[in-house]
Amino acid sequence: MRSIAPQVRLENAFARPYENAIATARTCYSSAGILTAADVSGDALADPGRRRKRAEQRDRIARSIYEAGHHTTLQHAHFQFALSNVSRHCIWSFLHSHPFYNSEQVSQRYVRVDPSQVAVPDMPDRALPLYQDLIQAQAREYETLIAVLRPQARAAFHERFLPSPSQQAAHERAIDKKAQEVARYVLPVATLAYLYHTVSALTLLRYHRLCDFYDVPGETRLLVTAMVDAVLAHDPLFAQLLEEEIALEATPEAALMERFHGDRPASATRAFCAEFDASLEGRVSRLVDRKTDNEGTIAAAAREVLGLARAELHDDEAIALLLDPARNAYLGHSLNVGTLSKLLRCLVHAHYTFRKKLSHTADSQDQRHRMTPASRPILVGHLHDRPDVVVPELIRRSPEALERCEALMERTWRTLAQLRDAGASAEAASYALPNAVAVRFTESADLLHLHHKLTTRLCYNAQEEIWRACLDEAEQIRAVEPRIGAHLLPPCGLRKAARMKPVCPEGDRYCGIPVWKLDLSEYQRAI
């Protein structure tokens, strides 16, 4: 990187993660009860020879269980990292591309972005001015768009909340946030972020093994190396479990990218994008597959949990017991206990697959729903020579904002081509892509976890683009499976059905619309 490298601080960790893993393994076969890290280390033994033998036994067990694939012992120890100077692109491409982590990350929706805080990847000197000029233009346009979008954001806001002299200052702050939320679409994915990121010892080993990976292997490698170094400083024994990194060129993805994209013309990629977009049939997210009898299957599963024959509990009532908040008290509360409830676990048997197209910034939110996994693309394989972006509704409502956005996207794609001509790699050039760049992928989910996702993202406080995708999904399920679809609602709709007060759980963050009174077909919003 030409900019400052990712910064890593190990904030919290198990005291002895390596020896904890061995202690948990030995406990499985222990007749003496639970063993501890101190038990397997031999530290308390007075005889140096016995201490050495105990350490040899510890390391022998560690290698044996690791090589045999018995890795659950490595999921007990966790590491909490404080990360900064990490690009949004790296977070999307790597840190949040799998299910086994937790992050709390600075929000571009609510925190004004400092446009100077951007990653600058390694590139030839002659390419650097092109990159920097574009990044500065994107930053200027971000600031300009916030101002340009304020009138549209104000109009949309006052469709929800009547102007009030006593609330004017608070309203103006909220309006500014709404304009800022949409203006961020023109910022580059190179924009830096800071976050807490927590993973298990097992996940960190996986990070190390596959850190040299698309889309941004250079930055990812720097980040993971710093994370591993921080852990080794805390517990040097952990080094014994590290495998050698798999080189990018040794991965199947790299071989296939070279085979199919080495000399691929831009027209071929445009054809793929056009084919994909046509398959959406005008939707953001289209239902393309599902199990043949989702409703019957979950109804039968409910009877099995309760030990009832069909004559005692017919399908309609069984589905209501699972999904109607008036019948199932779990569903009106904010704490999701679905994976623990014997009844709600019946929902894992219903399954759906969606094909969808989101912006990079909206997909960064979508992927945080780790139990609705997707096959996200190697993004550089989707790029071609024309602007390919998702434009938010608020920008579409402002002719000036739309014109400015389109002009900047044209300039961005011209500069991407110029960067490549100047010798910049596809990886380096991709950092200049805007948050608005289109990401196309397929996503699948069981009903238990999809229900939770739709509950949170159908709320009018959810970001508009991911809200629209979730609305597509709920409407399509309702059309083909009405007994399930009737209960796919935002939190206020579920709480109303459960007769809980207040109906909206958001408190002073209330969106201003009594959404619980609306049918899905009546949902509409620009902010």
Side-chain angles (χ1 to χ4, degrees):
M1 305 294 289
R2 283 180 175 256
S3 56
I4 187 170
Q7 302 296 293
V8 173
R9 184 176 73 247
L10 183 60
E11 193 74 12
N12 288 294
F14 272 44
R16 302 163 80 166
Y18 174 82
E19 289 174 331
N20 173 266
I22 312 311
T24 63
R26 286 191 57 193
T27 295
C28 295
Y29 302 97
S30 169
S31 61
I34 294 175
L35 300 180
T36 68
D39 293 326
V40 303
S41 71
D43 289 348
L45 298 174
D47 185 338
R50 291 184 64 196
R51 283 202 305 272
R52 184 179 64 254
K53 287 183 178 180
R54 184 66 59 84
E56 290 172 351
Q57 178 194 45
R58 174 199 65 196
D59 296 341
R60 185 172 63 253
I61 292 172
R63 286 191 296 272
S64 174
I65 61 176
Y66 183 84
E67 291 171 2
H70 303 312
H71 294 159
T72 57
T73 61
L74 293 161
Q75 289 180 285
H76 294 284
H78 275 69
F79 306 110
Q80 184 191 52
F81 297 97
L83 307 178
S84 56
N85 296 322
V86 184
S87 76
R88 297 275 173 172
H89 202 20
C90 182
I91 293 170
W92 171 83
S93 176
F94 188 79
L95 289 181
H96 292 174
S97 66
H98 66 102
F100 306 115
Y101 73 91
N102 192 42
S103 281
E104 308 304 330
Q105 168 189 344
V106 61
S107 170
Q108 286 185 332
R109 296 180 69 196
Y110 303 119
V111 177
R112 189 75 165 255
V113 174
D114 179 352
S116 69
Q117 296 299 301
V118 294
V120 182
D122 190 30
M123 64 182 66
D125 289 343
R126 63 183 182 279
L128 187 60
L130 294 167
Y131 180 84
Q132 292 174 326
D133 286 350
L134 176 59
I135 295 296
Q136 291 167 8
Q138 291 167 326
R140 289 193 300 271
E141 199 59 47
Y142 168 72
E143 297 292 344
T144 300
L145 277 177
I146 291 175
V148 169
L149 288 168
R150 277 197 191 102
Q152 290 292 342
R154 185 175 292 108
F157 185 84
H158 287 312
E159 289 175 3
R160 301 185 183 183
F161 299 96
L162 292 175
S164 167
S166 64
Q167 294 292 314
Q168 184 175 356
H171 284 183
E172 286 301 314
R173 286 194 297 271
I175 289 163
D176 194 63
K177 297 288 188 191
K178 295 298 183 182
Q180 170 186 302
E181 175 181 332
V182 175
R184 83 186 195 279
Y185 273 68
V186 303
L187 288 171
V189 297
T191 303
L192 297 175
Y194 48 88
L195 65 155
Y196 276 110
H197 189 71
T198 302
V199 294
S200 71
L202 178 59
T203 293
L204 186 63
L205 290 170
R206 290 169 173 162
Y207 278 8
H208 180 263
R209 183 79 166 130
L210 204 60
C211 65
D212 201 0
F213 199 70
Y214 292 111
D215 279 279
V216 284
E219 182 182 0
T220 302
R221 194 162 49 247
L222 289 171
L223 175 63
V224 172
T225 298
M227 293 168 75
V228 170
D229 287 347
V231 169
L232 293 182
H234 173 72
D235 184 358
L237 292 173
F238 198 72
Q240 298 185 60
L241 297 177
L242 293 173
E243 292 188 72
E244 186 178 354
E245 302 98 322
I246 299 175
L248 178 63
E249 58 269 20
T251 64
E253 289 86 351
L256 292 170
M257 287 293 288
E258 176 62 29
R259 174 184 172 188
F260 290 109
H261 284 271
D263 299 314
R264 192 182 196 206
S267 58
T269 307
R270 286 201 305 271
F272 155 74
C273 293
E275 181 181 274
F276 185 101
D277 293 354
S279 75
L280 294 176
E281 299 179 351
R283 292 191 176 271
V284 176
S285 180
R286 178 172 166 248
L287 179 64
V288 294
D289 197 14
R290 62 189 174 98
K291 285 189 175 179
T292 55
D293 188 17
N294 279 326
E295 292 182 325
T297 298
I298 65 171
R303 287 191 290 269
E304 293 158 9
V305 168
L306 300 171
L308 299 175
R310 185 183 295 272
E312 298 175 278
L313 184 66
H314 56 75
D315 283 6
D316 288 353
E317 185 178 3
I319 293 170
L321 290 175
L322 292 173
L323 287 166
D324 184 354
R327 310 284 296 278
N328 190 329
Y330 295 130
L331 298 173
H333 297 276
S334 60
L335 183 62
N336 178 15
V337 297
T339 55
L340 298 176
S341 162
K342 289 182 182 293
L343 198 59
L344 284 178
R345 280 203 300 265
C346 296
L347 301 182
V348 302
H349 304 302
H351 208 266
Y352 306 90
T353 297
F354 299 94
R355 183 173 297 134
K356 56 205 307 180
K357 174 184 173 184
L358 296 174
S359 69
H360 192 290
T361 193
D363 188 42
S364 294
Q365 296 191 10
D366 189 44
Q367 68 179 179
R368 295 303 304 280
H369 293 274
R370 298 181 283 283
M371 300 307 292
T372 61
S375 51
R376 288 182 169 84
I378 298 170
L379 191 56
V380 294
H382 283 207
L383 301 180
H384 52 80
D385 57 351
R386 296 177 186 172
D388 185 20
V389 297
V390 174
V391 180
E393 176 66 22
L394 196 66
I395 288 180
R396 293 186 182 279
R397 291 190 177 190
S398 169
E400 180 184 355
L402 182 60
E403 182 179 355
R404 298 188 70 93
C405 184
E406 289 176 342
L408 180 62
M409 295 305 115
E410 290 286 351
R411 174 177 177 175
T412 298
W413 258 257
R414 284 198 306 272
T415 304
L416 291 175
Q418 292 167 351
L419 285 169
R420 297 304 308 278
D421 290 342
S425 66
E427 174 189 357
S430 72
Y431 278 87
L433 288 167
N435 280 335
V437 66
V439 180
R440 297 171 174 86
F441 58 96
T442 294
E443 183 175 275
S444 293
D446 62 65
L447 180 56
L448 176 62
H449 294 100
L450 181 63
H451 182 281
H452 176 67
K453 175 181 173 178
L454 297 184
T455 297
T456 58
R457 298 299 183 171
L458 284 173
C459 173
Y460 269 42
N461 281 340
Q463 192 262 351
E464 181 265 338
E465 188 185 344
I466 192 172
W467 171 88
R468 199 168 299 280
C470 288
L471 180 58
D472 271 353
E473 292 164 13
E475 286 178 333
Q476 289 170 93
I477 292 174
R478 179 179 288 192
V480 295
E481 294 168 359
R483 290 178 292 182
I484 290 175
H487 304 293
L488 300 178
L489 299 167
C492 59
L494 297 178
R495 290 171 65 86
K496 179 192 176 188
R499 300 181 179 87
M500 297 180 68
K501 296 294 180 68
V503 176
C504 173
E506 290 288 322
D508 59 7
R509 294 182 300 275
Y510 170 51
C511 72
I513 300 290
V515 180
W516 60 89
K517 297 180 180 180
L518 303 177
D519 183 74
L520 287 182
S521 62
E522 300 174 285
Y523 286 17
Q524 54 180 321
R525 52 176 284 214
I527 58 172

